[in-house]
């Protein structure tokens, strides 16, 4: 009988010679060549293996990587309120640095590198950027008036309020100091080294808002109440699940557009602060940095209006929306289960029809 094909396991010539079906005399000379080749490859693999075992596999985590990972784990905050507090600090810091810098660029260049349009767009865009950083962590309040309204209407627990507000005021103060450091040379060159609160060479309004010469104290107060009222009224509408709403991820953009509208329509009287932290902390910094405490007395002691007015306006804005819109939503019968429909999708849900 003649074999057309014989499949044998690879091995040495001694192993093949002991095979019961293959006598030694029938071994072809090519097997010796194969054996030599296998021996050389085995030697090279052994040498390579020695080199690999002398070090570490680059894919395997080293002790240093493990130490870094454990360090990151140790530094990571475990407390939810601590995470939210840090988020509010950073968000307010970003808003003040980018927002007030847009004012500084326009003022210190004597409007060659900006003006009222770039200031309104720049500050609103600064809010948008701050919200994108913080929105998913703390809700992106970056405003004590917003935090107050959220607590007042049961949308945030009151025990968080002092943490949020403290972080917002501190973030605004550090942000103002950062703007001062960035534009220090420009501030010194603008008015011969003088830091003025009023006059054509005044620079204090880079950091805080000041009233127009014609506005009265009651008029300025009403201005701040009304502007912040509109801010919160529309914010409440944006996050009402029973109303039109905003596509997920675009909330900061819409809030930025809202701030542009408010700045363009209600900014003449007193600068449209609408935020106690945005105004009071930078004002305090300027008092300490060289402008003096005139920043608190100018405008018939205007400083308290951007602090108290927005708090009242925020409450009124939320209250008006609830009284006029939210409380009148039709309630679904709890015994009836809503049937899914193409025309009745959850917000931000995409319809996929196969």
């Amino acid at each position: 009988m003649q074999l057309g094909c014989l499949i044998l396991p690879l091995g040495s010539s001694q192993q093949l010679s002991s095979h019961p079906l293959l006598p030694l005399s029938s071994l072809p000379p090519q097997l010796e060549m194969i054996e030599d080749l296998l021996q050389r490859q085995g030697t090279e693999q052994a040498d390579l293996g020695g080199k690999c075992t002398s070090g570490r596999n680059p894919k395997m985590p080293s002790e240093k990587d493990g130490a870094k990972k454990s360090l990151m784990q140790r530094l990571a905050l475990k407390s939810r309120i601590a995470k939210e507090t840090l988020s509010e600090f950073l968000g307010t810091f970003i808003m003040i640095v980018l927002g007030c810098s847009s004012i500084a660029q326009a003022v210190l260049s004597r409007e060659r590198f900006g003006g009222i349009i770039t200031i309104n767009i720049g500050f609103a865009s600064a809010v948008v950027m701050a919200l994108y950083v913080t929105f998913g962590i703390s809700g992106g309040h970056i405003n004590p008036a917003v935090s107050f309204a959220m607590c007042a209407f049961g949308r945030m627990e009151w025990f968080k309020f002092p943490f949020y507000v403290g972080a917002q005021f501190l973030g605004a103060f550090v942000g103002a100091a950062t703007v001062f450091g960035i534009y220090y040379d420009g501030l010194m060159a603008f008015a011969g080294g003088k830091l003025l609160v009023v006059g054509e060479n005044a620079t204090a309004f880079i950091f805080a808002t000041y009233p127009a010469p014609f506005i009265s104290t009651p008029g300025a107060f009403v201005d701040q109440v009304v502007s912040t009222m509109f801010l919160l009224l529309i914010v409440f509408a944006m996050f009402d699940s029973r109303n039109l709403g905003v596509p997920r991820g675009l909330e900061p953009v819409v809030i930025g557009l809202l701030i542009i509208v408010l700045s363009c329509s209600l900014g003449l009287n007193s600068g449209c602060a609408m935020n106690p932290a945005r105004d009071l902390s930078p004002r305090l910094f300027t008092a300490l940095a060289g402008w003096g405490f005139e920043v608190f007395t100018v405008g018939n002691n205007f400083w308290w209006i951007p602090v108290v007015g927005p708090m009242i306006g925020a409450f009124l804005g939320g209250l008006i929306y609830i009284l006029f819109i939210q409380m009148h939503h039709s309630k679904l019968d709890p015994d009836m289960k809503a049937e899914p429909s193409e025309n009745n999708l959850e917000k931000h849900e995409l319809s996929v029809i196969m």
Side-chain angles (χ1 to χ4, degrees):
M1 181 176 66
Q2 187 176 7
L3 296 176
C5 179
L6 181 64
I7 301 176
L8 298 174
L10 292 177
S12 65
S13 60
Q14 290 80 2
Q15 290 173 329
L16 293 174
S17 64
S18 62
H19 198 281
L21 298 179
L22 195 61
L24 180 61
S25 59
S26 65
L27 289 174
Q30 289 83 354
L31 287 177
E32 294 181 3
M33 297 174 60
I34 294 174
E35 181 181 9
D36 293 338
L37 180 60
L38 291 173
Q39 288 177 352
R40 286 196 298 270
Q41 290 179 348
T43 303
E44 293 174 357
Q45 290 176 357
D47 294 338
L48 182 60
K51 292 179 181 179
C52 290
T53 53
S54 62
R56 287 187 176 271
N57 190 333
K59 294 183 179 180
M60 297 295 291
S62 64
E63 294 180 0
K64 186 177 180 180
D65 293 337
K68 288 182 178 179
K69 186 176 181 180
S70 61
L71 179 61
M72 292 293 291
Q73 290 176 343
R74 287 196 297 268
L75 292 177
L77 296 173
K78 304 299 187 296
S79 170
R80 179 66 184 174
I81 187 62
K83 297 176 185 178
E84 294 173 0
T85 301
L86 195 61
S87 172
E88 287 296 306
F89 169 85
L90 179 60
T92 313
F93 171 80
I94 293 171
M95 176 185 65
I96 294 299
V97 172
L98 300 181
C100 290
S101 290
S102 69
I103 303 174
Q105 178 170 292
V107 172
L108 298 180
S109 68
R110 298 190 186 276
E111 298 189 357
R112 286 179 297 173
F113 292 95
I116 188 62
I117 295 177
T118 62
I119 290 172
N120 288 343
I121 295 176
F123 218 114
S125 300
V127 173
V128 173
M129 299 303 108
L131 290 179
Y132 271 117
V133 172
T134 63
F135 201 85
I137 308 301
S138 61
H141 294 185
I142 59 175
N143 185 341
V146 174
S147 299
F148 175 73
M150 295 301 168
C151 291
F153 294 101
R155 305 190 180 197
M156 188 176 79
E157 297 173 293
W158 276 107
F159 85 90
K160 293 184 178 182
F161 182 71
F163 293 97
Y164 271 56
V165 172
Q168 291 156 2
F169 276 104
L170 183 59
F173 187 91
V174 177
T178 302
V179 174
F180 180 76
I182 293 171
Y183 283 101
Y184 177 79
D185 292 336
L187 288 166
M188 293 298 103
F190 186 75
K194 296 179 181 180
L195 301 177
L196 303 176
V197 179
V198 294
E200 62 178 8
N201 289 326
T203 51
F205 67 94
I206 290 174
F207 299 89
T209 61
Y210 291 87
F214 58 80
I215 194 72
S216 64
T217 298
F221 183 78
V222 171
D223 173 85
Q224 284 298 290
V225 170
V226 171
S227 59
T228 314
M229 178 196 72
F230 277 113
L231 174 66
L232 267 294
L233 189 157
I234 298 172
V235 166
F236 270 51
M238 287 173 52
F239 295 98
D240 183 358
S241 61
R242 305 288 298 279
N243 207 329
L244 182 62
V246 177
R248 185 173 179 82
L250 292 180
E251 298 93 341
V253 176
V254 176
I255 292 175
L257 293 174
L258 170 60
I259 293 174
I260 291 176
V261 171
L262 293 173
S263 300
C264 292
S265 58
L266 298 174
L268 174 63
N269 290 334
S270 55
C272 207
M274 304 180 294
N275 186 334
R278 174 262 176 275
D279 197 86
L280 182 59
S281 288
R283 191 184 302 273
L284 177 60
F285 173 80
T286 55
L288 300 175
W291 281 266
F293 283 87
E294 184 184 358
V295 297
F296 288 99
T297 60
V298 72
N300 196 20
N301 299 307
F302 170 81
W303 70 270
W304 65 272
I305 293 177
V307 177
V308 178
M311 303 297 280
I312 298 174
F315 180 82
L316 290 178
L319 181 63
I320 290 172
Y321 183 79
I322 291 173
L323 292 178
F324 280 77
I325 303 294
Q326 184 173 314
M327 68 181 294
H328 305 293
H329 288 321
S330 59
K331 296 182 179 180
L332 295 177
D333 188 346
D335 296 331
M336 296 179 61
K337 294 183 179 179
E339 295 182 0
S341 171
E342 293 180 15
N343 298 325
N344 187 25
L345 297 173
E346 293 294 330
K347 294 203 184 302
H348 320 312
E349 183 179 349
L350 295 177
S351 174
V352 180
I353 301 176
M354 302 301 292

